[in-house]
Amino acid sequence: MRTLDEKKIVVASHNAGKLAEIADLIAPFGFEAKSAAEYGLPEPEETGTTFEENAYIKAHSAAIATGLPALSDDSGLMVDALGGDPGVYTANWAELADGTRDFKIAMERTNLLMGKKGATAPSQRAGRFVSVICVAWPDGHAEYFRGEVEGTLVWPPRGDRGFGYDPMFQPQGHERTFGEMEAAEKHGWTPGQENALSHRARAFQLFARDMLGAA
Ligand code: IMP
C-alpha cells in the first residue's frame, strides 16, 4: 500500500456536511486538509455505477488539478426494500428542477417508495449507509477504504443535526437517529479506540490505520 509522504491532502468534496465530518476525523492526525473549493476546482460529473468508481473520479481529478494526493468520499444509502436504491444516486434523489437539493423531499420520496413496497413495519425497513474513501495520486494510483453501518429507516424523520438522510436513519443498537446525535456520537470514534459508528468514520478508521499509522 502506498502511504502519504507529506501531511498535506486535498479533500475532493463540495458537500459541506461531508467536508465538516472529514475535517473532524482527520484533525487529530495533524493534517493540512484543503478542500476542492479552496483550490477553485470544479465538481466532476459522477458517471460511475459503483461508490468506488465515483470516489476515484472525484479524487483523481482533484489530484491531477493540484499535483497533490487527494481524498474523496463517495457515499449513499442502500434500502433493502428498494433493492439497494438509492445507492450511488442518493444525492440525485434530492435534486429539484432548478438544480438545488432538498433532502426533506428525498427522505419523503424514499419513505413513499418504501410504503408502496409494503415496507411499513420496522423489521421491513432495514438499510445501510455506505462510504468509500478513495485516496488518489496524480499518477493514477489509488487506495480504497469502505465503511458500512446497518440501521432502520424511521418515519417521521427525527432530529435536525448532521446532513442528508441523517434524520431518518437509526443505526442498529441505538435509540436515536443520526439526526439526533452530536457529530462525535455519530462518528463514535477517536483514534486509538475500536468502535467507529458511522459509515464514514468506519471507512476513515481503516484509512487512518493503514495510511496514517493509527492504532
Ligand atoms: P455523493 O457521495 O456526493 O454522491 O453523495 C452522497 C449522498 O448520500 C449525500 O448527498 C447524502 O445525501 C447521502 N449521505 C452520505 N453520507 C451521509 C451521512 O452520513 N448522513 C446522511 N446522508 C448521507
Side-chain angles (χ1 to χ4, degrees):
M1 175 165 302
R2 196 186 286 186
T3 51
L4 293 162
D5 302 331
E6 268 188 87
K7 291 212 155 191
K8 201 168 175 186
I9 198 159
V10 182
V11 180
S13 175
H14 288 78
N15 177 322
K18 272 194 209 176
L19 278 170
E21 292 195 359
I22 293 169
D24 246 19
L25 289 162
I26 208 164
F29 296 95
F31 261 76
E32 190 187 339
K34 287 202 154 199
S35 72
E38 285 176 74
Y39 281 99
L41 305 182
E43 231 176 321
E45 216 187 315
E46 297 180 25
T47 51
T49 55
T50 64
F51 295 114
E52 281 78 4
E53 282 170 13
N54 284 335
Y56 183 77
I57 289 169
K58 289 185 274 195
H60 190 224
S61 75
I64 288 176
T66 60
L68 289 169
L71 178 151
S72 70
D73 157 290
D74 197 65
S75 46
L77 178 67
M78 301 186 76
V79 179
D80 287 357
L82 303 180
D85 283 347
V88 293
Y89 305 106
T90 301
N92 304 42
W93 281 27
E95 237 150 65
L96 305 180
D98 65 3
T100 59
R101 285 176 181 164
D102 183 334
F103 285 97
K104 201 163 164 282
I105 286 174
M107 288 191 283
E108 269 162 14
R109 182 171 177 190
T110 305
N111 184 56
L112 201 73
L113 289 172
M114 291 177 78
K116 282 190 181 154
K117 298 276 183 193
T120 48
S123 63
Q124 300 167 304
R125 295 181 62 92
R128 69 200 52 76
F129 270 130
V130 178
S131 159
V132 171
I133 286 179
C134 173
V135 181
W137 282 260
D139 69 1
H141 183 82
E143 303 284 356
Y144 297 89
F145 307 92
R146 189 182 179 106
E148 301 193 6
V149 57
E150 301 286 328
T152 304
L153 283 313
V154 302
W155 201 260
R158 305 196 311 261
D160 54 11
R161 296 197 169 110
F163 67 99
Y165 296 67
D166 275 342
M168 86 180 282
F169 188 85
Q170 184 173 321
Q172 216 170 60
H174 291 257
E175 297 288 312
R176 300 193 294 161
T177 67
F178 275 164
E180 293 173 304
M181 294 184 181
E182 299 282 358
E185 188 183 356
K186 177 180 168 186
H187 299 325
W189 180 65
T190 43
Q193 292 179 356
E194 274 303 313
N195 300 320
L197 174 61
S198 79
H199 50 314
R200 187 162 299 103
R202 286 179 176 172
F204 198 88
Q205 187 173 21
L206 298 175
F207 159 70
R209 199 175 283 168
D210 293 350
M211 292 192 63
L212 307 181

